[in-house]
Amino acid sequence: MNQHTLTAARAGLLSCHTCDLLVEKPDGQESHHLHCPRCHSALHSRIPDSLSKTWALVLTAFILYIPANLLPVMTVIQLGSGAPKTILGGVIALYEAQMWPLALIVFVASVVVPLMKLLVLIYLLISVRSGSRDRLMDRTQLYRVAETFGHWSMVDVFLVGILVSVVQLDALATIEPGLGASFFGAVVVITMFAAKTFDPRLIWDVLEERNGKRQLG
């Protein structure tokens, strides 16, 4: 982007967050009073209070991430005996049972993806707040990757649900979900909201501000 690039904001256009329709902003009217003519969603040039809302959700997810990994996510009872397992305990048990592909999937989906998504959001929040102009395209791609792969961190919750429903049919073994699964599900949902609340267009606003200063100069 250079100083001659015409952005949607400078052209007086607003993009609907729901249906992506481009709407021309009437002169002198605040954007928060406008609604999309196609889907009737509220129109905003930028998501209101995007940074503060995202920070609040990210910090909440980090706090919940601790009990999600320390508390058991499920208890396998076989022939009358069993012990509760945390996420990492379940990964180790799967690996020791020679089911390393499943152990790898659970480890990546339950430990790596949620943690990486939180770290990526924190990096984007700090870079936007500091007005960084470095690697704008790379940061935008990083946000898209984190948002896309974040949905797969629900695999562990689905796995526990499937195991509970299937194994309960067997009289020799039962699986009971633990409190850690609830915390983990909350972490996944909150990080999804955090990614949706973060407005990636804020990454590029630093160029808009630089172009404005050049024009004033």
Side-chain angles (χ1 to χ4, degrees), residues 22-67:
L22 273 179
V23 180
E24 188 173 357
K25 178 183 175 183
D27 294 335
Q29 188 168 356
E30 296 296 331
S31 59
H32 59 269
H33 295 310
L34 300 176
H35 290 81
C36 176
R38 182 161 64 186
C39 68
H40 306 294
S41 299
L43 293 174
H44 304 286
S45 177
R46 297 291 182 268
I47 297 175
D49 302 320
S50 172
L51 295 184
S52 57
K53 290 178 182 175
T54 308
W55 267 119
L57 291 169
V58 167
L59 292 177
T60 302
F62 251 120
I63 293 172
L64 295 178
Y65 186 78
I66 297 173

Side-chain angles (χ1 to χ4, degrees), residues 37 46 62 72 158 206 208:
R46 297 291 182 268
F62 251 120
F158 292 145
V206 64
E208 190 75 20

